[in-house]
């Protein structure tokens, strides 16, 4: 049920007024580049939001154009007038969600995914075990290797995007503290995500190890849960606010030096909890205190004196900017600086590295055709570098790029930047 702050969940006039319709954002927009349609450009979408704010109906066509947006925020980086497009599109989706009566099956699926699955470690563990059986039984290999997935149409394309299950799941680390290696320099909280506990358990472990090697005591606070990013992107802000309050309560009393996330999509939302809760008198101040403590793991490691005890990694690596790191959080140099610190690593910059890969939360599931089209172009950029490894900074991008490698790639390995650092530290320890 919607909370009382729902009245503010619509594009605000002051935000809409910032757009001067110059069109300088158009070429940065993946959907405009694909379709060449004004109504699928940032300027066109803002124009439609203005119409709705002035009383036009929330029509099926409006919903379609707003939902086809990747919410990648590339237009925000391109805009000289400081339009906060992310804020606008999230509010427009919330407005649609609040005003529209979706068909019953769609309502049930949204409730199951957003209100149950993503919030229940038990349900995610069950889903993870089922996914693991599918993988380990060899059925997945047959489906992917035989080309059977191509006969399954959309279902087959979605299969390519299915997240892996990585037992033992990271849920067992929630509530634990991992000591710093050597002198303790920082005490940090790690937010482990929701699906990442099942599908990126090894990435979370690598994140803990790299932080430990850099003098961090790493606490994985009990009581944490899904950050609400997927809910915000889907317009379900009431649910997102509940999740935000729970995370704030779980973390804020710990008095940490930083709150770390290895997922750029989560990081953007965590850093914007103050926006989400700005009208909630009980949490507005707490949300501001929380948001300033949030650091992407790349941002944090690049801001401290990095432990240089790494062994050489003789690999050629390219880097895909995760939209919510580059455009949402304006962090571009930090991951490149970390990669440059690894001895032996050769960096190959790809063209248009900050153009979306098509992942965008669960966009690749909901708008699969557009996501796959965007991905194909991305893989052309990746392939042009000749790199054997694609590094990025967001688990969702990793899944999308892995599908890209299977469909259009050259057997590249897809990793998170922190996994490269972990390998380099481990090489040193082994050498
Ligand atoms: S969003 Fe910014 S760049 Fe795009 S049309 Fe509006 S003012 Fe121009
Ligand atoms: S968020 Fe991305 S897809 Fe949406 S309008 Fe902006 S650039 Fe285009």
């Amino acid at each position: 049920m919607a909370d009382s702050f729902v009245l503010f969940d619509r594009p605000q006039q002051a935000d809409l007024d910032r757009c001067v319709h110059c069109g300088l954002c158009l070429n940065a927009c993946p959907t405009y580049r694909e379709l060449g349609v004004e109504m699928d450009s940032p300027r066109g979408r803002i124009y439609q939001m203005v119409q709705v704010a002035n009383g036009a109906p929330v029509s099926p066509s409006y919903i379609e154009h707003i939902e086809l947006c990747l919410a990648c925020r590339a237009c925000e980086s391109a805009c000289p007038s400081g339009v906060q497009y992310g804020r606008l599109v999230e509010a427009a989706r919330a407005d649609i969600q609040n005003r529209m009566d979706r068909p019953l099956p769609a309502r049930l699926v949204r409730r199951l995914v957003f209100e149950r699955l993503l919030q229940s470690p038990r349900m995610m563990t069950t889903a993870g075990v089922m996914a693991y059986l599918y993988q380990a039984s060899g059925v997945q290999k047959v489906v992917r290797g035989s080309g059977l997935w191509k006969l399954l149409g959309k279902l087959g394309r979605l299969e390519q995007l299915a997240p892996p299950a990585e037992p033992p799941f990271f849920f067992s680390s929630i509530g634990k503290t991992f000591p710093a290696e050597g002198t303790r320099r920082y005490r940090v909280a790690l937010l482990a995500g929701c699906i990442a506990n099942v599908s990126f358990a090894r990435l979370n472990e690598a994140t803990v190890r790299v932080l430990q090697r850099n003098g961090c005591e790493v606490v994985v606070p009990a009581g944490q849960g899904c950050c609400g990013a997927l809910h915000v992107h889907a317009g379900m802000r009431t649910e997102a606010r509940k999740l935000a309050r729970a995370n704030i309560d779980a973390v804020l009393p710990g008095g940490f030096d930083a709150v770390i996330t290895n997922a750029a999509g989560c990081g953007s939302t965590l850093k914007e909890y103050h926006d989400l809760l700005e009208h909630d008198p009980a949490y507005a101040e707490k949300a501001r205190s929380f948001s300033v403590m949030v650091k992407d793991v790349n941002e944090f490691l690049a801001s401290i004196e990095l432990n240089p005890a790494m062994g050489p990694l003789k690999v050629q690596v390219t880097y895909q900017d995760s939209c919510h790191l580059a455009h949402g959080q304006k962090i571009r140099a930090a991951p490149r600086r970390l990669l440059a610190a690894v001895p032996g690593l050769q960096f190959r910059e790809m063209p248009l590295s900050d153009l979306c890969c098509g992942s965008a939360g669960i966009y690749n599931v909901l708008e699969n055709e557009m996501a796959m089209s965007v991905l194909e172009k991305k893989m052309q950029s990746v392939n042009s570098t000749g790199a054997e490894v694609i590094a990025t900074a967001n688990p969702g991008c990793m899944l999308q790029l892995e599908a890209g490698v299977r469909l259009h790639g050259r057997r590249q390995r897809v990793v998170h930047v922190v996994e490269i650092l972990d390998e380099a530290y481990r090489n040193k320890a082994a050498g």
Side-chain angles (χ1 to χ4, degrees), residues 200-211:
F200 289 91
R202 303 294 83 77
L203 166 60
N204 278 348
E205 288 167 5
T207 306
V208 170
R209 280 193 297 272
V210 169
L211 289 167

Side-chain angles (χ1 to χ4, degrees), residues 285-429:
E285 188 53 45
K286 288 188 206 174
R288 273 194 290 276
S289 308
F290 177 92
S291 289
V292 295
M293 287 166 64
V294 176
K295 299 275 179 270
D296 178 83
V297 67
N298 290 283
E299 178 186 20
F300 178 76
L301 290 169
S303 74
I304 64 173
E305 199 183 324
L306 194 70
N307 175 359
M310 298 182 220
L313 281 187
K314 296 208 177 310
V315 283
Q316 294 167 346
V317 181
T318 191
Y319 176 70
Q320 160 64 16
D321 283 285
S322 295
C323 297
H324 282 89
L325 200 60
H327 305 303
Q329 300 177 54
K330 317 294 178 214
I331 297 171
R332 293 163 188 264
R336 289 174 171 82
R337 208 174 319 142
L338 295 177
L339 291 171
V342 176
L345 184 148
Q346 283 181 34
F347 185 70
R348 301 270 178 91
E349 191 70 67
M350 74 169 85
L352 301 172
S353 64
D354 65 352
L355 196 65
C356 185
C357 64
S359 166
I362 54 169
Y363 181 95
N364 50 4
V365 175
L366 301 173
E367 302 287 349
N368 183 258
E369 214 168 299
M370 174 61 78
M372 288 302 156
S373 218
V374 169
L375 177 62
E376 193 174 345
K377 306 267 170 24
K378 175 56 61 184
M379 289 310 297
Q380 287 165 8
S381 293
V382 169
N383 291 339
S384 74
T385 66
E388 59 205 285
V389 174
I390 314 167
T392 188
N394 189 47
C397 307
M398 290 170 72
L399 286 180
Q400 177 82 347
L401 291 166
E402 277 165 5
V405 170
R406 281 194 293 279
L407 297 171
H408 312 290
R410 300 189 182 149
R411 296 173 176 267
Q412 295 95 335
R413 191 160 68 99
V414 180
V415 296
H416 191 290
V417 173
V418 100
E419 290 178 308
I420 295 260
L421 295 180
D422 184 48
E423 272 179 47
Y425 284 126
R426 294 217 265 177
N427 262 2
K428 179 73 174 182

